[in-house]
Amino acid sequence: MITNASEALFARATELIPGGVNSPVRAFRGVGGTPRFMERGAGSRVWDADGNAYIDYIQSWGPLVMGHAHPKVVEAIATQAALGTSFGTPTKAENTLAELVIDMVPSIEMIRFVNSGTEATMSALRLARAVTGREKILKFSGCYHGHADMLLVAAGSGVATLGLPDSPGVTASTAAATLTVEYNDIDAVLAVFAEHGSEIAAVIVEPIAANMGFVLPTNGFLHKLQDICRANGAMFILDEVMTGFRASLGGAQEAMGLDPDITCLGKVIGGGLPVGAYAGKRDIMLNVAPAGKMYQAGTLSGNPLAMAAGLATLSLLREDGVFARIAAQTEKLANGINAVCTAAGVPVQTASMGTMFGCYFLKSADGVIDSYAAAREHANPAYFGEVFHGMLERGVYLAPSQFEAGFVSAAHSDDDIETTLSALDDTIS
Ligand code: KE4
């Protein structure tokens, strides 16, 4: 495969931009080799600067659930652009997208749009601290909630891949207010609340831990967590930046029957443009300025272009049968990966929910991954790197890290799934 253009562009990029990328996980540090510089996407495919085509399972890390450059999303953006890209004033589109999200996500009564998932989680935690008057927060090892200082403590995603358990620059005092235990370890949660219960403002959790790979909650973990929060007066915050409109149409909370105080959203609600949101019960959200005293602001929050892209995407996604069809393709892919690897004697742990999936290549067949510690112990990132490049050479683009999830879009055809599974079989055999 020719990669001259990507190599030249990457060499130049590393002179201009730290690590040559504007987000660490894109740098292929977890798998080695040269990142591909993409130039064009359409449906399930992307084309790099050398003209190589790939079936894309990153989908911009989740947003493009309708596929790349969907005509109706592009049209919505272009139409709005011709009317103006941003006014710094309220616009009707913000009401319309707010109504749509409130209608689709069970626990949400009021919403504030921001520009990224990081802004969403950072603001949600400030809100929880403002409402409860407490300081401490509890998160889970390997969960990633964006790069706000208080959350870069035993974080997942790029931090996990880069092996930076605590980022330089995060002060000791900031980290000290963030408590961390293993995902799925409800006894550890109970112990933390026994010691700090009256000081904990919030628990923030990914309903599917998809920044350490793909770990589902076990043994009623999330419902018990929700009950412990209620019993101790702490806010239960679901970070659905990734699982929102992906785990199910109403997010993981709809699929799992959860009722969080605050939900963080991002990715899909921007349809590929920068949007995040934090949202929840009306009495909580009315504490946000200017309705309340908790301050949060943003020049481009709720901007018309992003609202147009998000509205078009969600409207398409909720049309009859669309989500179910993508979910069926996703399950077929995950089951197919499992079957191909099992037939080849390659130990894997695969799972999917809605339109997102995960695949761990294991060091041994008896490894079970249900937490970050287990992921670090049982996953085989070195072998994952070999498979990643084998698939890349065969025109299939997976997330360039064992500790990330994959995404399927409405544009992924039966032929795409078959081609992917055939490429995998060829790669590992
Ligand atoms: P952003 O600030 O990147 O928009 O969102 C942060 C975030 C918050 N919460 C969850 C559950 C997330 O998955 C993310 C971001 N996800 C990563 C991929 N695992 C974004 C990719 C990247 O960092 O480049």
Side-chain angles (χ1 to χ4, degrees):
M1 181 176 269
I2 304 294
T3 59
N4 300 346
S6 282
E7 287 170 31
L9 286 166
F10 190 50
R12 181 62 180 140
T14 53
E15 295 168 1
L16 303 167
I17 302 164
V21 292
N22 285 303
S23 197
V25 73
R26 303 175 190 171
F28 277 25
R29 292 290 175 94
V31 293
T34 301
R36 300 296 192 268
F37 279 60
M38 295 305 170
E39 283 192 348
R40 178 169 75 89
S44 60
R45 276 172 171 68
V46 287
W47 285 263
D48 68 17
D50 293 281
N52 302 307
Y54 306 90
I55 300 171
D56 177 26
Y57 289 103
I58 296 188
Q59 299 286 305
S60 182
W61 299 97
L64 302 176
V65 68
M66 295 310 297
H68 288 276
H70 188 290
K72 289 190 175 175
V73 176
V74 173
E75 180 191 2
I77 295 169
T79 301
Q80 179 54 54
L83 297 171
T85 57
S86 180
F87 308 108
T89 69
T91 62
K92 181 183 175 188
E94 293 156 84
N95 290 2
T96 312
L97 186 56
E99 286 168 341
L100 186 52
V101 173
I102 289 166
D103 184 46
M104 292 177 76
V105 185
S107 68
I108 294 178
E109 298 172 345
M110 190 171 258
I111 188 169
R112 166 61 64 86
F113 293 112
V114 293
N115 297 285
S116 69
T118 293
E119 269 194 273
T121 58
M122 176 176 74
S123 306
L125 288 165
R126 183 184 306 143
L127 176 57
R129 285 169 159 164
V131 171
T132 62
R134 301 176 178 181
E135 281 198 14
K136 285 189 168 36
I137 60 174
L138 174 62
K139 71 178 289 290
F140 297 88
S141 298
C143 284
Y144 177 71
H145 304 288
H147 63 87
D149 277 8
M150 61 192 147
L151 289 163
L152 277 184
V153 177
S157 185
V159 175
T161 304
L162 296 176
L164 302 176
D166 297 311
S167 169
V170 175
T171 61
S173 57
T174 299
T178 300
L179 303 162
T180 303
V181 297
E182 282 297 333
Y183 195 79
N184 274 324
D185 187 346
I186 203 66
D187 292 336
V189 173
L190 286 165
V192 165
F193 270 88
E195 187 177 353
H196 302 284
S198 61
E199 305 166 78
I200 297 175
V203 174
I204 185 166
V205 65
E206 291 181 62
I208 300 171
N211 283 291
M212 59 174 96
F214 196 95
V215 175
L216 291 167
T218 56
N219 306 321
F221 172 64
L222 294 174
H223 289 83
K224 291 171 186 170
L225 195 55
Q226 180 175 279
D227 293 344
I228 292 166
C229 287
R230 297 278 193 278
N232 287 274
M235 293 278 171
F236 181 51
I237 301 177
L238 273 192
D239 180 351
E240 295 228 50
V241 167
M242 200 188 300
T243 56
F245 313 103
R246 279 266 181 198
S248 86
L249 259 180
Q253 60 187 271
E254 180 182 68
M256 300 174 180
L258 296 164
D259 184 28
D261 295 299
I262 303 172
T263 299
C264 303
L265 296 169
K267 298 181 190 275
V268 170
I269 61 171
L273 269 67
V275 181
Y278 58 108
K281 309 299 185 191
R282 177 178 298 275
D283 62 326
I284 296 170
M285 293 304 293
L286 285 175
N287 287 279
V288 179
K293 295 185 167 39
M294 177 244 142
Y295 195 73
Q296 175 269 313
T299 302
L300 292 172
S301 296
N303 78 80
L305 278 193
M307 297 293 104
L311 267 170
T313 298
L314 285 180
S315 303
L316 287 163
L317 183 63
R318 69 182 317 204
E319 284 178 3
D320 282 353
V322 172
F323 188 92
R325 194 173 69 248
I326 310 169
Q329 290 289 67
T330 309
E331 188 176 17
K332 185 164 75 171
L333 175 66
N335 292 341
I337 291 169
N338 197 59
V340 166
C341 291
T342 302
V346 173
V348 286
Q349 177 178 309
T350 59
S352 71
M353 182 175 278
T355 65
M356 50 196 294
F357 68 97
C359 172
Y360 286 108
F361 289 94
L362 303 172
K363 289 174 183 142
S364 67
D366 59 359
V368 174
I369 298 177
D370 59 0
S371 70
Y372 185 49
R376 304 303 285 185
E377 179 185 353
H378 297 304
N380 189 345
Y383 184 67
F384 173 85
E386 292 174 30
V387 173
F388 172 83
H389 282 288
M391 297 293 273
L392 202 63
E393 287 295 317
R394 291 169 176 82
V396 177
Y397 199 98
L398 302 173
S401 163
Q402 170 65 94
F403 302 105
E404 294 290 350
F407 304 95
V408 178
S409 80
H412 282 78
S413 66
D414 291 342
D415 185 53
D416 289 334
I417 304 299
E418 291 315 312
T419 301
T420 301
L421 295 174
S422 169
L424 177 63
D425 191 32
D426 199 35
T427 297
I428 65 177
S429 298

